[in-house]
Amino acid sequence: MAQAKTWILKKHFEGFPKDSDFELKLEQLSEPKDGEVLLEALFLSVDPYMRPYSRVRMQEGDVMIGTQVAKVIKSNNPSFAVGCHVVGRCGWRTHTVSDGSDLTKISDDWPQDVPLSHAIGAIGMPGLTALYGLEEVCAIKSGETLLVNAAAGAVGSVAGQIAKLKGCKVVGSAGSDNKVAYLKELGFDEAFNYKTVPSLEEALKKASPEGYDCYFENVGGPFSSVAIPQMKAFGRIAVCGGISLYNDTTPQTGPYIHMHMIFKQLKMEGFLVGRWAHKNEESLKRMLTWMQEGKLKCKEHVTVGFENMPAAFMGMLQGENIGKAVVKV
Ligand code: NDP
């Protein structure tokens, strides 16, 4: 019988998460029954959404939510042979018994030279989020100018590169000079450190004096209040995330953006990546091809050891990661 290590949400987060909010627990698993498989986690994802979703989707005592790349080590399900790899919504656990309904098989022709961990990164949910935010929400066109924040992260770095592939000018904002250097390496036209620029407004104006057609919003809060007035007429804003708000204990207030929205006739749309799940197979193939052609690059911030999941999660929320934050078991 396999034993799983799991990380439990011991206490709902109040403000920024802390070590004592998590608890490591052992769980005895039963043998997989007919139709079930036993999985062993290889890479686990730590994502910003876990912070707000913990409030609405989880109770104290639940295993932390999350996806992982796992290997099938026992199988009574013909769709998942022993040795194949899957992306599973298993939560923070080393081993899982699953009936397959929450698993997506990683295709057998996944290229040898692409790390499997990218299936929870650029060639997975974060990559798809970047693609759909640009294509479906912004409907971005060649020649337009894109602003993206948290630009050196999993979603932002892919969004900026896809916009470059589409012939756009790309301006990225990130929280360290190393991140800014990385954005330049990726081909961003302009990049700045939002923590050290004397004036965010001036930095945005300098990077694109004519303004922005599209804004891929990952951060929200005060950044957004300064960025929205910099939009061009008929600009589109894809509201992907608001990470600057996730740990707030009291709601932030204005400045409010209505007058800019009205007079510039802006379109602002929130979205969740799952809306276009029916397109995922084709989209992932497209992004895998870009990666193999060297047009899409992806860094990972790898934390080693399942016992370090909370540290990896909190580190990502604090901006320690360049590229996708993952934990290697
Ligand atoms: P990242 O890899 O970008 O990691 C999070 C980054 O956010 C940090 O590295 C940090 O970078 C930045 N950050 C943290 N706190 C702040 C702050 N107060 N102000 C500004 N930046 C901050 O994460 P993801 O790429 O996975 O996610 C990016 C965004 O996309 C998140 O808002 C997430 O919730 C959202 N998302 C939405 C989805 C959807 O379906 N709508 C799906 C997936 C993600 P820095 O050093 O630059 O500050």
Side-chain angles (χ1 to χ4, degrees):
M1 251 184 0
Q3 196 178 49
K5 286 184 201 163
T6 68
W7 275 107
I8 305 292
L9 177 72
K10 188 175 173 193
K11 212 73 202 85
H12 269 301
F13 307 123
E14 288 296 338
F16 198 86
K18 44 189 186 311
D19 284 329
S20 56
D21 297 330
F22 304 91
E23 186 180 4
L24 187 62
K25 271 198 172 168
L26 292 178
E27 189 183 301
Q28 294 298 331
L29 299 178
S30 47
E31 283 296 317
K33 296 198 270 295
D34 233 20
E36 291 184 336
V37 294
L38 175 63
L39 303 172
E40 185 172 75
L42 303 179
F43 298 96
L44 293 103
S45 186
V46 284
D47 298 271
Y49 75 81
M50 293 165 177
R51 173 64 183 87
Y53 275 39
S54 68
R55 266 285 161 199
V56 288
R57 295 267 172 94
M58 297 179 62
Q59 308 215 332
E60 291 177 355
D62 286 351
V63 174
M64 285 290 298
I65 47 172
T67 54
Q68 57 176 250
V69 172
K71 187 173 178 176
V72 175
I73 56 172
K74 281 187 185 175
S75 178
N76 292 320
N77 182 327
S79 303
F80 302 100
V82 169
C84 79
H85 293 100
V86 296
V87 173
R89 287 197 298 269
C90 307
W92 293 18
R93 21 185 335 128
T94 56
H95 294 81
T96 306
V97 173
S98 163
D99 65 5
S101 59
D102 51 355
L103 306 180
T104 306
K105 199 170 164 210
I106 297 179
S107 111
D108 292 332
D109 52 15
W110 183 271
Q112 296 254 314
D113 56 340
V114 176
L116 276 174
S117 50
H118 287 4
I120 46 174
I123 314 297
M125 184 280 280
L128 292 168
T129 304
L131 186 75
Y132 297 146
L134 291 178
E135 291 189 345
E136 305 290 338
V137 183
C138 286
I140 199 165
K141 295 188 288 292
S142 174
E144 292 190 320
T145 300
L146 172 77
L147 170 64
V148 53
N149 49 19
V155 175
S157 62
V158 176
Q161 290 180 82
I162 295 176
K164 284 308 297 173
L165 281 172
K166 290 178 178 290
C168 299
K169 172 176 171 176
V170 177
V171 176
S173 152
S176 76
D177 293 347
N178 282 344
K179 291 186 180 190
V180 169
Y182 177 56
L183 297 181
K184 292 279 175 62
E185 229 178 275
L186 291 180
F188 281 53
D189 298 281
E190 301 284 340
F192 63 85
N193 179 346
Y194 71 92
K195 290 182 178 165
T196 56
V197 288
S199 152
L200 181 56
E201 185 181 340
E202 287 311 313
L204 290 170
K205 282 188 168 146
K206 185 164 165 247
S208 181
E210 60 289 350
Y212 298 88
D213 301 283
C214 297
Y215 172 21
F216 196 107
E217 166 74 294
N218 286 319
V219 168
F223 189 105
S224 195
S225 306
V226 179
I228 287 172
Q230 310 304 321
M231 298 298 293
K232 293 186 194 174
F234 298 104
R236 288 93 66 204
I237 304 160
V239 185
C240 172
I243 195 164
S244 73
L245 310 168
Y246 295 169
N247 292 302
D248 285 350
T249 44
T250 47
Q252 294 181 19
T253 55
Y256 299 105
I257 53 174
H258 297 63
M259 300 312 275
H260 302 286
M261 295 289 300
I262 297 162
F263 289 114
K264 288 193 173 160
Q265 306 189 64
L266 304 177
K267 192 170 133 187
M268 185 172 189
E269 182 178 346
F271 72 99
L272 291 171
V273 59
R275 197 196 306 179
W276 300 279
H278 58 285
K279 295 190 172 188
N280 284 1
E281 203 178 321
E282 178 272 329
S283 303
L284 291 173
K285 276 191 194 142
R286 209 148 47 104
M287 289 197 292
L288 201 46
T289 305
W290 284 334
M291 186 167 274
Q292 289 194 287
E293 291 171 350
K295 294 175 180 162
L296 177 62
K297 302 203 171 69
C298 164
K299 257 196 189 165
E300 289 179 317
H301 180 86
V302 182
T303 302
V304 178
F306 183 76
E307 62 281 10
N308 295 319
M309 289 287 304
F313 175 57
M314 292 186 282
M316 176 277 301
L317 289 176
Q318 273 167 331
E320 281 174 7
N321 58 308
I322 294 189
K324 175 72 187 111
V326 294
V327 173
K328 184 175 186 297
V329 177

